[in-house]
Amino acid sequence: MRADLVLEGGGVKGIALVGAVSVLQEEGYEFPRVAGTSAGALVAALLAADYPASELAGWLRKVDFAEFADKGALDRLGPVGKALSVVFEQGVYEGHAVERWTAERLAEQGRETFANMRLPDDPDSTLPDERRYRLVVMASDVTRGRLVRLPWDYPDFGLAADTRPVAEAVRASTSIPFYYEPVRLTGGKGYEHVLVDGGMLSNFPVDTFDRTDGRAPRWPTFGIKLSARPEAAQRPQDIGNTFDFARALVSTMMNFHDQMHLDDPAVTARTIFVDTFKVRATDFDLDDETKDRLYQSGRDAARKFLDSWDFDAYVAKFRSG
């Protein structure tokens, strides 16, 4: 069985995405195309590189997320250094650790660049040739104030999509504002593009692979949304200084997206909603028990979804033209 997959962002909560995907794979689903934002972009890239969810789960359970908070020279000077890093570098942490870890995993599968993510010819697809990739990653271009879909939009920068490293796009999508330094790209048009977390503009781009010719889809697109209970992310935050305030602003922004329940019945019908409890996107000190709980919550949500999923009924109700 085939299904395209769209994964919402949510920082460290991404392990819940892996739990949901593991059930889909156990039930026989394969994913021709995968899209994601932030942590969803990281998971999507590894799935597009043909890693099974069971292997991803093993990595994410072992990884110390605190290692992804890599510090530069300024960051090591304590609170003052962090504040200076925000002022002069637009982010506390470097972001190199996430990019390096992702690049190493992709290299093991020979999927370092987007040329290695190309889809075979598909005459029945509505995607133009320049968009036939297994992976699409969302990032926010704050230079132009718009969403970019990588690799689709690299040519807009004057860059050749096939030559760009996949890990570069993942790092851009995971660059939570003020936490990670943004990714800066200078293309052929002569000016710099500053890229940050795609969740600022599109945390759940579930329509990425939808047909545009009015015909019924050949297979479904499943969305996995890290949508907690309404009260789940309301844990008070201590705000004692400017850095705490900036952190609270970013956390509020990210969790706002995670708590929103979609109103469109055609979207909710194909979306797996995963309870992420009181975990915040930026809880880098996640303990093993919480990781396991998130992973299991993803699995439980996927099983509940599949128990009532009927593709033919979905097409008849929402996509029959």
Side-chain angles (χ1 to χ4, degrees):
M1 297 182 291
R2 293 182 177 183
D4 292 327
L5 201 58
V6 176
L7 307 179
E8 187 185 34
V12 298
K13 294 181 285 186
I15 193 169
L17 299 172
V18 177
V21 173
S22 69
V23 170
L24 295 175
Q25 288 185 331
E26 289 166 9
E27 293 300 317
Y29 281 99
E30 298 178 349
F31 312 115
R33 301 173 294 193
V34 192
T37 301
S38 192
L42 172 59
V43 175
L46 298 176
L47 291 172
D50 292 325
Y51 281 112
S54 57
E55 192 166 351
L56 303 190
W59 290 338
L60 294 179
R61 282 171 168 170
K62 293 177 182 177
V63 71
D64 180 2
F65 288 120
E67 294 179 359
F68 289 165
D70 48 338
K71 298 179 180 180
L74 286 176
D75 309 328
R76 297 188 178 93
L77 299 177
V80 173
K82 290 181 178 180
L84 291 173
S85 187
V86 170
V87 171
F88 293 108
E89 299 174 334
Q90 291 79 56
V92 174
Y93 303 114
E94 303 296 295
H96 300 311
V98 173
E99 184 174 11
R100 184 168 53 250
W101 187 88
T102 305
E104 290 171 354
R105 304 288 81 74
L106 294 172
E108 292 168 0
Q109 298 289 86
R111 299 293 181 90
E112 296 97 326
T113 68
F114 277 103
N116 309 128
M117 293 287 184
R118 274 285 187 180
L119 285 167
D121 290 339
D122 184 0
D124 199 31
S125 173
T126 59
L127 287 175
D129 288 341
E130 64 271 17
R131 293 189 174 185
R132 290 184 181 172
Y133 292 90
R134 301 190 64 190
L135 174 68
V136 181
V137 169
M138 308 297 157
S140 299
D141 182 355
V142 297
T143 304
R144 296 183 296 167
R146 56 165 288 186
L147 178 73
V148 291
R149 297 164 296 178
L150 305 176
W152 292 359
D153 292 331
Y154 273 124
D156 290 348
F157 300 173
L159 299 172
D162 281 357
T163 67
R164 306 308 302 179
V166 175
E168 170 189 81
V170 171
R171 182 192 167 192
S173 187
T174 57
S175 292
I176 300 173
F178 301 127
Y179 271 78
Y180 288 118
E181 296 176 16
V183 171
R184 299 175 182 275
L185 295 178
T186 301
K189 297 185 179 181
Y191 60 89
E192 187 178 63
H193 298 266
V194 180
L195 306 181
V196 298
D197 193 330
M200 286 184 60
L201 299 177
S202 183
N203 211 34
F204 189 55
V206 72
D207 59 351
T208 300
F209 301 120
D210 285 354
R211 296 188 71 94
T212 57
D213 59 358
R215 296 169 56 192
R218 295 174 291 174
W219 53 75
T221 293
F222 291 147
I224 305 179
K225 187 170 177 60
L226 301 175
S227 185
R229 298 187 302 270
E231 75 279 5
Q234 300 303 315
R235 183 169 57 185
Q237 302 190 66
D238 294 327
I239 302 177
N241 53 48
T242 302
F243 175 71
D244 289 340
F245 179 62
R247 179 175 60 184
L249 284 175
V250 174
S251 181
T252 298
M253 177 191 71
M254 299 301 294
N255 282 297
F256 171 76
H257 285 291
D258 293 340
Q259 290 181 84
M260 289 182 64
H261 288 268
L262 307 183
D263 294 327
D264 185 351
V267 172
T268 57
R270 55 174 168 165
T271 299
I272 301 170
F273 291 92
V274 182
D275 189 347
T276 52
F277 317 113
K278 295 183 178 182
V279 177
R280 293 190 295 249
T282 52
D283 283 344
F284 293 117
D285 57 349
L286 214 61
D287 58 38
D288 291 341
E289 181 180 353
T290 305
K291 290 180 183 179
D292 289 342
R293 191 180 180 202
L294 286 170
Y295 178 76
Q296 188 59 47
S297 182
R299 289 184 59 83
D300 293 343
R303 287 197 187 98
K304 180 180 179 181
F305 171 83
L306 290 177
D307 284 345
S308 59
W309 172 252
D310 185 324
F311 180 52
D312 291 335
Y314 170 81
V315 171
K317 186 172 183 178
F318 298 113
R319 302 295 298 279
S320 63

